[in-house]
């Protein structure tokens, strides 16, 4: 048995980088996601919106607060009385509707991102702590979440804005507070499932601290439902912030936020259809696109979560 | 079942106290003097200020004020509205029927269209109807309903003149409120045209308020149906030659509807809590519009009381839904 004396071939150093595995996972995810035609369309529309938001100053024919004193409530270009330079008409004080819509994309995306980041951070932190420690900590945190959830979200947001004062930032904070219990509940439920798994026990036995177990061991494994929830919250955030803008307590004039645009020209909407139609359509298209992506993500990332 | 109910009620107690904390703190967190905010006064003499201060108890420690507040709540004293000078509880119950009426119409609308649409979409999975219906449902789910309401008003009220713009009934009808439900009161009054006027005022708000529940119900019915249709017992039912209508209508639907019923209940709770946007757009004199008006008029006692009452409505409806869920789902009933 001379073979035994042959030194074993040196095993190649194990790839420490998780990237190849991750790339494979991303490849699989993309394969599933691509099957969903609606999701791909939603993603394309959403990408276009990002481009519009980023390059707003280059795309928009005029500034969002540029006033044309000769053109109050000019109809869209194709309608009688329309002017070619104002494609979608002008608003109640003579500003180009198209330009304001284009700049408005910036606000809607900003609202979505800020609200999702705030509520995701807050909710996941609370959910992780509640699910990981359990016991009294869990009870206290989850009862507070129950309190938040027992109010209709728009009402609680209105009350918070009444306390903080009407502004876009405060509206975003209010919506984030209202949305974060959903993240907290989701994170808590997922943590409780993961905590009893062997890999967490082994991390614990190996001496990982509470913080390490929570954030390094468990957190990466509960990402899938959180990503789906984040997408859904993005669309809710855009809708709720627009509603607050519409009620006059969100973005303030002359900010071209779509909800606030609807509110500003509300007195004219019965006569001048374009003033109400386009901002609302912009909100609908944005939210619809994000929800299409969310549906696709859910099917691709987490087959256990069902369409509802 | 009784223990199940008890455990649910036990969960409510801490939540209720959490809600009272929020309502209690709300006027104290606002910028400005809480005495003036709660009394609705703008500038008062020092004597009157001292009197009001004592009346509201702001001179006492916060914790004492809180327990005093809760004590009054438990005794049914929800404060006095600045705007109407009447007890908040009274105002609430005067307006609540309008919200209930609108909510019931909206939920009925959503169920009548949503469930059949979901069933057909599931049975004809992948068909043009399925794709179309689910596309529309997602669009409905994405709808900014304040805009949807304005759009419908522009099309059906101002352009076509088919429906009234706002309110609950035409101005020329006047009768005493018996039930608080305009449609029923109109029938009782016996006035010609009153009932159809009340119904015509309900059409657009019903559609607007029902849009999102409709989308949610349709999507959920479809997914629940799809899941059930792939079960073995459905295959068995088909294999033994039952007509498809019976397999789908009896065997599948009965199980598929269990989660849907829960969703319907939870949606109803949310609608009863006051459809702020819909009521605002259609000037519908319900709880949602009342809260919005109270906030903008700085009628803070009304906001405080309203917050608690609304949260109570949501909690009570959620418990009813839980109990119903236990009743229709034997798996839950026997486990507890």
């Amino acid at each position: 048995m001379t073979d035994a004396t042959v030194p074993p071939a040196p095993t190649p150093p194990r790839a420490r980088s998780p990237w190849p595995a991750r790339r494979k996972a991303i490849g699989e995810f993309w394969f599933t996601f691509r099957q969903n035609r609606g999701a791909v369309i939603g993603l394309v529309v959403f990408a276009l919106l990002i481009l519009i938001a980023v390059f707003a100053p280059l795309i928009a024919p005029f500034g969002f607060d540029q006033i044309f004193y000769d053109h109050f409530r000019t109809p869209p270009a194709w309608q009688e009385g329309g002017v070619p330079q104002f494609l979608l008409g002008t608003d109640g004080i003579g500003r180009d509707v198209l330009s304001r819509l284009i700049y408005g994309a910036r606000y809607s995306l900003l609202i979505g991102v800020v609200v999702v980041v705030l509520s995701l951070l807050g909710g996941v932190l609370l959910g992780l702590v509640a699910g990981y420690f359990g016991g009294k900590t869990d009870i206290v945190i989850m009862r507070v979440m129950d309190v938040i959830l027992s109010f209709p979200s728009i009402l609680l947001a209105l009350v918070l804005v009444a306390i903080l004062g009407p502004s876009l930032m405060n509206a975003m904070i209010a919506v984030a507070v209202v949305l974060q219990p959903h993240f907290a509940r989701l994170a808590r439920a997922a943590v409780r499932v993961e905590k009893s798994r062997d890999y967490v026990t082994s991390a614990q036995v190996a001496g990982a601290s509470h913080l390490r177990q929570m954030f390094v061991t468990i957190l990466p494994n509960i990402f899938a439902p959180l990503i789906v929830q984040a997408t859904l919250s993005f669309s809710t955030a855009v809708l709720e912030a627009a509603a607050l803008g519409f009620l006059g307590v969100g973005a303030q004039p002359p900010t071209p936020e779509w909800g606030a645009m609807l509110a500003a020209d509300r007195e004219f909407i019965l006569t001048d259809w374009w003033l109400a139609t386009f901002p609302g359509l912009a909100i609908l298209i944005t939210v619809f696109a994000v929800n299409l992506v969310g549906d696709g993500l859910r099917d691709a990332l987490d087959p256990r979560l069902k369409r509802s | 079942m009784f223990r199940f109910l008890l455990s649910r009620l036990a969960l409510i107690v801490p939540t209720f106290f959490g809600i009272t904390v929020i309502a209690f703190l709300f006027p104290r967190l606002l910028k400005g003097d809480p005495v003036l905010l709660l009394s609705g006064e703008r500038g008062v003499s020092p004597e009157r200020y001292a009197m009001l201060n004592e009346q509201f108890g702001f001179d006492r420690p916060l914790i004492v004020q809180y327990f005093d507040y809760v004590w009054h709540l438990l005794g049914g004293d929800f404060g006095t509205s600045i705007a109407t000078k009447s007890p908040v509880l009274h105002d609430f119950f005067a307006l609540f029927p309008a919200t209930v009426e609108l909510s019931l119409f909206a939920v009925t609308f959503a169920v009548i269209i949503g469930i059949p649409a979901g069933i057909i979409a599931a049975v004809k999975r992948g068909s043009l109807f399925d794709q179309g219906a689910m596309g529309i449902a997602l669009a409905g789910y994405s709808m900014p309903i304040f805009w949807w309401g304005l759009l419908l008003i522009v099309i059906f009220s101002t352009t076509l003149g088919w429906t009234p713009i706002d309110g609950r009934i035409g101005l020329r009808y006047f009768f005493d409120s018996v039930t608080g439900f305009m449609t029923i009161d109109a029938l009782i009054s016996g006035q010609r045209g009153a009932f159809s006027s009340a119904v015509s005022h309900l059409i657009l708000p019903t559609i607007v308020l029902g849009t999102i529940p409709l989308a949610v119900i349709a999507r959920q019915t479809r997914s629940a149906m799809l899941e059930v249709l792939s079960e073995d017992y459905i295959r068995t039912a088909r294999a033994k030659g039952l007509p498809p209508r019976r397999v789908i209508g009896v065997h599948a639907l009965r199980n598929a509807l269990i989660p849907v019923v829960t969703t319907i209940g939870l949606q109803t709770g949310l609608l009863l809590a006051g459809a702020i946007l819909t009521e605002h757009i259609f000037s519908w004199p319900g709880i949602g519009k009342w809260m919005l008006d109270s906030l903008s008029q700085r009628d803070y006692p009304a906001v405080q009381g309203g917050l608690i009452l609304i949260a109570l409505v949501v909690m009570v409806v959620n418990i009813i839904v839980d109990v119903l869920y236990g009743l229709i789902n034997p798996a839950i009933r026997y486990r507890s």
Side-chain angles (χ1 to χ4, degrees), chain B:
Chain B
M1 192 68 227
F2 182 67
R3 283 183 58 187
F4 173 69
L5 195 60
L6 263 186
S7 66
R8 288 292 309 164
L9 286 172
L11 272 178
I12 274 206
V13 177
T15 313
F16 176 75
F17 278 98
I19 288 158
T20 58
V21 170
I22 290 187
F24 170 76
L25 287 178
F26 166 64
R28 289 163 177 82
L29 291 172
L30 291 167
K31 291 186 196 79
D33 191 325
V35 176
L36 301 182
L37 288 177
L38 278 178
S39 62
E41 303 268 1
R42 317 217 199 299
V44 287
S45 65
E47 301 84 59
R48 173 134 178 85
Y49 184 88
M51 197 195 86
L52 288 171
N53 198 23
E54 204 189 307
Q55 188 189 327
F56 288 113
F58 283 114
D59 46 353
R60 287 175 295 157
L62 206 60
I63 190 81
V64 178
Q65 291 180 39
Y66 172 70
F67 281 110
D68 195 47
Y69 178 69
V70 173
W71 185 247
H72 275 101
L73 288 178
L74 293 176
D77 176 10
F78 285 76
T80 306
S81 160
I82 296 168
T84 64
K85 310 278 188 240
S86 56
V88 172
L89 199 61
H90 173 267
D91 287 356
F92 178 86
F93 282 111
L95 298 168
F96 194 46
T99 297
V100 175
E101 186 175 39
L102 178 54
S103 305
L104 290 182
F105 269 82
V107 169
T108 311
F109 164 75
V111 167
I112 288 178
I113 300 180
I115 290 188
I119 295 171
I120 299 173
V123 172
K124 300 189 171 178
R125 182 181 193 174
S127 69
L128 205 61
F129 178 87
D130 182 23
Q131 293 182 358
M134 288 306 115
I136 294 171
L138 194 64
Y141 184 66
S142 313
M143 189 66 81
I145 64 164
F146 47 98
W147 174 69
W148 181 225
L150 292 175
L151 203 67
L152 292 182
I153 290 177
V154 169
I155 295 172
F156 293 104
S157 300
T158 58
T159 309
L160 296 171
W162 289 356
T163 53
I165 293 176
D166 55 14
R168 291 182 76 188
I169 194 156
L171 288 172
R172 59 201 167 99
Y173 301 103
F174 190 80
F175 41 79
D176 289 330
S177 168
V178 183
T179 58
F181 295 99
M182 200 55 90
T183 43
I184 298 175
D185 286 349
L187 278 180
I188 293 173
S189 78
Q191 293 181 30
R192 280 175 62 103
F195 179 72
S196 61
S197 173
V199 170
S200 71
H201 280 80
L202 266 165
I203 294 172
L204 290 189
T206 296
I207 295 174
V208 170
L209 191 57
T211 296
I212 287 181
L214 167 58
V216 173
I217 290 170
R219 278 158 62 87
Q220 211 196 350
T221 306
R222 176 181 179 272
S223 68
M225 260 325 251
L226 281 180
E227 197 178 332
V228 171
L229 284 176
S230 65
E231 299 271 347
D232 287 345
Y233 74 86
I234 295 295
R235 197 167 3 139
T236 309
R238 282 197 173 128
K240 73 181 181 186
L242 285 181
R245 182 180 293 184
R246 195 169 162 77
V247 175
I248 291 161
V250 179
H251 289 70
L253 196 58
R254 206 180 267 178
N255 281 305
L257 281 186
I258 291 174
V260 179
V261 168
T262 312
T263 307
I264 294 170
L266 295 177
Q267 292 284 332
T268 312
L270 284 178
L271 298 189
L272 285 178
I276 291 189
L277 294 167
T278 309
E279 291 184 3
H280 172 63
I281 289 162
F282 292 98
S283 296
W284 189 264
I287 299 302
K289 182 172 179 294
W290 174 58
M291 285 306 277
L292 196 60
D293 292 345
S294 299
L295 271 166
S296 62
Q297 294 166 3
R298 298 168 185 260
D299 185 352
Y300 294 122
V303 176
Q304 270 185 301
L307 278 175
I308 294 176
L309 290 165
I310 285 172
L312 277 177
V313 169
V314 175
M315 282 184 346
V316 168
V317 174
N318 286 356
I319 289 187
I320 296 175
V321 171
D322 267 6
V323 172
L324 271 181
Y325 190 65
L327 284 177
I328 58 172
N329 189 356
I332 301 247
R333 189 164 67 228
Y334 292 124
R335 204 174 55 208
S336 65

Side-chain angles (χ1 to χ4, degrees), chain A residues 21 41 119 128 133 143 159 165 173 179 197 202 205 219 258 271 280 292-293 295:
Chain A
I41 295 173
S119 54
L128 262 180
F133 289 108
R143 284 299 82 77
V159 165
I173 293 173
L179 286 181
R197 295 257 164 92
S202 68
V205 172
L219 187 59
W258 296 332
T271 48
L292 278 172
V293 175
D295 265 12

